[in-house]
């Protein structure tokens, strides 16, 4: 895992690559079905694609990589699949934490922790604690995560602070609300990638993605690799980001 070693994407003055990339890793089940394999096999191969994405990200100048690993809605899947996904997360952390740490990766987990098994909660905490001071890629694992739940939780905390007289309703702004999201301190995603051809956010970083560029890839997640990431980053580099303003040359002309 090199840090910004591809000159085409290295970070520096005038760099046009995304700092924060979020990925909706979709299509594991369909990948498996196409091959007559059980769904769990798609998820297993999905973990391999996840490893490739984490290894490749720094080479494109990416500093934050957020992976949607288990949504608050995924509990509605058959119990066997839910328990398979939990087991995969545990195995991933047990097998890969040392390597992530040795590559200076900082792990951060977003999502609800309260209804997770104790051992999963402990592993997630261990991963965060061990890598807390690392300065390379920040790997954000969105696990038991849902944007609506995250925003509602932030609103609840702010309401409690207002009721306690610690803030006034006027203190509640987009900035203060963002400070109460799980992603506080993490820059908004510049690019969201979704595999499998589906074109929706599915409760992923909905607040944070207000101005993200969206790239939808027609491949299933287990087939995602360095080349697919390179393609998405190149697509992103050709987008014009205006954040609700106007294109830069026009802004200069009108003197605004
Ligand atoms: C979507 O494919 C994928 C998921 C719900 C889980 C993603 C999980 C992994 C890649 C592995 C486990 C995560 C970690 C952090 C080790 P799908 O099952 O919805 O596919 P389908 O739409 O084709 O059925």
């Amino acid at each position: 895992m090199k840090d910004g070693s591809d000159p085409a994407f290295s970070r520096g003055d005038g760099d046009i690559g995304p700092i924060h990339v979020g990925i909706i890793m979709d299509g594991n089940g369909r990948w498996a079905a196409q091959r007559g394999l059980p769904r769990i096999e798609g998820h297993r191969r999905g973990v391999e694609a996840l490893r490739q994405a984490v290894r490749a990200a720094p080479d494109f100048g990416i500093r934050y990589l957020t992976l949607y690993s288990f949504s608050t809605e995924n509990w509605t899947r058959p119990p066997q699949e839910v328990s398979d996904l939990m087991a995969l997360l545990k195995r991933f952390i047990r097998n890969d934490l040392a390597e992530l740490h040795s590559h200076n990766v900082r792990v951060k987990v977003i999502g609800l922790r309260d209804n997770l098994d104790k051992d999963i909660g402990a592993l997630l905490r261990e991963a965060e604690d061990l890598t807390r001071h690392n300065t390379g890629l920040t790997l954000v694992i969105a696990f038991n995560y849902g944007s609506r739940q995250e925003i509602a939780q932030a609103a609840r905390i702010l309401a409690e602070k207002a009721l306690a007289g610690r803030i006034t309703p006027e203190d509640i702004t987009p900035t203060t609300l963002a400070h109460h999201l799980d992603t506080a301190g993490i820059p908004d995603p510049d690019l969201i990638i979704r595999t499998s051809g589906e074109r929706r956010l599915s409760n992923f970083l909905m607040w944070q993605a207000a101005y993200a560029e969206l790239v939808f890839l027609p491949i299933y997640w287990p087939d995602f690799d360095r080349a697919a990431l390179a393609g998405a980053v190149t697509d992103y580099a050709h987008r014009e980001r205006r954040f609700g303003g106007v294109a830069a040359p026009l802004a200069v002309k009108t003197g605004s």
Side-chain angles (χ1 to χ4, degrees), residues 25-31 39 43 46-47 50 68-70 74 77 81 85 88-89 92 141 143 196 198 220-221:
M25 309 182 287
D26 195 14
N28 294 347
R30 279 164 284 173
W31 182 94
R39 290 177 61 82
H43 294 312
V47 176
L50 180 158
Y68 203 8
S69 307
F70 191 86
N74 285 156
R77 294 188 174 211
E81 183 167 347
L85 284 167
L88 276 182
L89 174 77
F92 171 70
I141 301 177
F143 197 80
S196 92
E198 310 285 354
Y220 294 139
W221 176 249

Side-chain angles (χ1 to χ4, degrees), residues 139-203:
L139 171 62
V140 184
I141 301 177
F143 197 80
N144 196 21
Y145 173 84
S147 271
R148 288 181 171 178
Q149 290 78 355
E150 182 192 32
I151 295 166
Q153 179 176 265
R156 198 177 315 122
I157 295 168
L158 286 165
E160 281 162 6
K161 286 186 178 176
L163 271 177
R166 292 165 55 204
I167 60 170
T168 66
E170 291 71 33
D171 291 328
I172 300 174
T173 65
T175 305
T176 54
L177 195 137
H179 286 153
H180 290 80
L181 296 174
D182 291 359
T183 51
I186 296 173
D188 284 345
D190 303 293
L191 168 63
I192 304 265
I193 300 169
R194 182 173 188 147
T195 55
S196 92
E198 310 285 354
R199 293 167 174 249
R200 55 179 174 271
L201 283 179
S202 301
N203 210 12

